[in-house]
Amino acid sequence: MTAPALIWDASYEVDLGPHVFVTAKYRLTRERVLEAGLATEDHFVAPAPASRDELGLAHTSEYLTKIENDTLSQSERWQLELPFNDEVRSAMILSCGGTLLTARRALADGAALHVGGGFHHAFAGHGEGFCLLNDLAVAARTLQVTGEAERVFILDLDVHHGNGTAAIFAADPDVFTFSMHQENNYPAAKPRSDIDIGLDDGVGDDEYMALLSEALPDALDAHTPALLLYLAGADPYHEDQLGGLALTLDGLRRRDRFVFDQAAGLGLPVAVVLAGGYAPHLEDTVSIHVATVEELMEVCGA
């Protein structure tokens, strides 16, 4: 197996002002991965922006025109909860291309990781919760249309429910959506995924792993996907500012190892996106993301 590619671009680091979403985490994760010797510069690959046609497979033409022309309404901007400008727009379009490239590299090499991505709150016709465009949906739809992967499994282990993803694929039996999240948390309305596991506040490592271990293997066996898209959110961490679960750094590492072991055991290509992470100490979020890279390299590396 070829060592997993790491997809990243410097332009992911956008200035959002004083915001809980600190985009410097992407650059810092890359730096820590290199410092730790987990990868070399050759592992990192820059993506191209998703095309208008690719974006249009997951989003409405009307919504994309609003994004292109900067004509989002005030209520749409409030719902997005991000400053909207050229830099944000470009970074989000590039991130969609990044997740698509990550998926393609995973199909070719067995595994790949996007140091970015995971914007699962974006719906077909609007953005919300820091998510302008749904990179998972763009990637899955594009691979379906090209025939590269007709059946995709989206495993969302961010602390927040993947509402946009669930809504986009609600009528598509070939894309299986699995969301394990804190139930009493954003978003208030949670469209049904194929599997939803809503966790009580304060769930810790052992209970989390027991539930995941019980549900995931059977779901993978039943769906028989060609690709696993995995949102390895850092926000189930017990100190996360936007979360209310109680996973430790070790528990999050165990989670990732379990997912990668499952994929490896099935010979299932796995494409990883980092998704959320809002610890009060940025170093903790970065450490969680670096551990995800480390576990992927350990299980799926050459």
Side-chain angles (χ1 to χ4, degrees):
M1 179 182 289
T2 303
L6 304 175
I7 311 305
W8 171 83
D9 193 276
S11 61
Y12 290 168
E13 186 173 353
V14 299
D15 182 8
L16 301 178
H19 200 284
V20 70
F21 177 20
V22 182
T23 60
K25 72 174 189 171
Y26 302 127
R27 171 180 51 82
L28 295 172
T29 296
R30 177 181 182 275
E31 291 174 358
R32 280 272 308 278
V33 164
L34 291 171
E35 290 167 3
L38 299 175
T40 67
E41 292 280 0
D42 290 341
H43 287 93
F44 285 90
V45 182
S51 70
R52 180 56 146 77
D53 287 344
E54 289 164 346
L55 296 174
L57 296 174
H59 294 286
T60 67
S61 179
E62 179 184 10
Y63 179 50
L64 294 177
T65 297
K66 287 182 179 181
I67 291 172
E68 291 163 353
N69 296 337
D70 194 2
T71 55
L72 294 173
S73 69
Q74 189 60 57
S75 63
E76 287 173 321
R77 293 170 190 269
W78 286 334
Q79 194 171 21
L80 184 59
E81 299 184 74
L82 284 179
F84 180 77
N85 53 40
D86 290 345
E87 190 179 15
V88 168
R89 174 177 52 229
S90 295
M92 291 286 184
I93 294 172
L94 184 60
S95 185
C96 288
T99 295
L100 177 56
L101 176 59
T102 304
R104 284 179 164 149
R105 290 298 298 262
L107 288 167
D109 302 333
L113 183 143
H114 189 187
V115 185
F119 297 104
H120 58 165
H121 297 311
F123 286 70
H126 74 272
E128 60 180 66
F130 312 161
C131 302
L132 180 70
L133 294 163
N134 194 311
D135 55 298
L136 292 314
V138 170
R141 283 275 191 245
T142 300
L143 297 175
Q144 285 182 303
V145 167
T146 61
E148 294 169 86
E150 294 181 2
R151 293 174 65 80
V152 177
F153 192 113
I154 300 178
L155 174 62
D156 191 335
L157 299 186
D158 192 271
V159 79
H160 304 109
H161 178 264
N163 56 338
T165 307
I168 288 171
F169 293 112
D172 188 341
D174 290 326
V175 177
F176 192 94
T177 53
F178 181 123
S179 181
M180 186 159 141
H181 50 269
Q182 183 188 4
E183 185 66 24
N184 184 30
N185 201 333
Y186 181 92
K190 297 176 175 62
R192 289 183 61 181
S193 310
D194 290 295
I195 291 180
D196 281 308
I197 302 176
L199 303 174
D200 292 335
D201 298 355
V203 164
D205 295 347
D206 291 343
E207 183 178 356
Y208 188 99
M209 286 305 305
L211 291 167
L212 183 62
S213 300
E214 181 179 3
L216 181 59
D218 288 345
L220 288 171
D221 285 343
H223 187 63
T224 61
L227 175 70
L228 175 62
L229 282 176
Y230 172 41
L231 286 78
D235 44 12
Y237 181 51
H238 68 98
E239 291 188 6
D240 196 89
Q241 297 174 91
L242 300 186
L245 299 181
L247 273 68
T248 64
L249 296 175
D250 181 65
L252 289 160
R253 183 184 286 271
R254 286 169 54 198
R255 175 202 68 177
D256 292 341
R257 172 59 72 105
F258 177 75
V259 172
F260 299 146
D261 281 342
Q262 290 295 305
L266 294 170
L268 176 61
V270 57
V272 187
V273 298
L274 294 186
Y278 314 97
H281 302 290
L282 181 57
E283 175 63 22
D284 287 343
T285 297
V286 172
S287 292
I288 294 165
H289 291 330
V290 171
T292 300
V293 176
E294 184 175 11
E295 292 300 324
L296 185 70
M297 292 294 185
E298 179 68 25
V299 175
C300 301

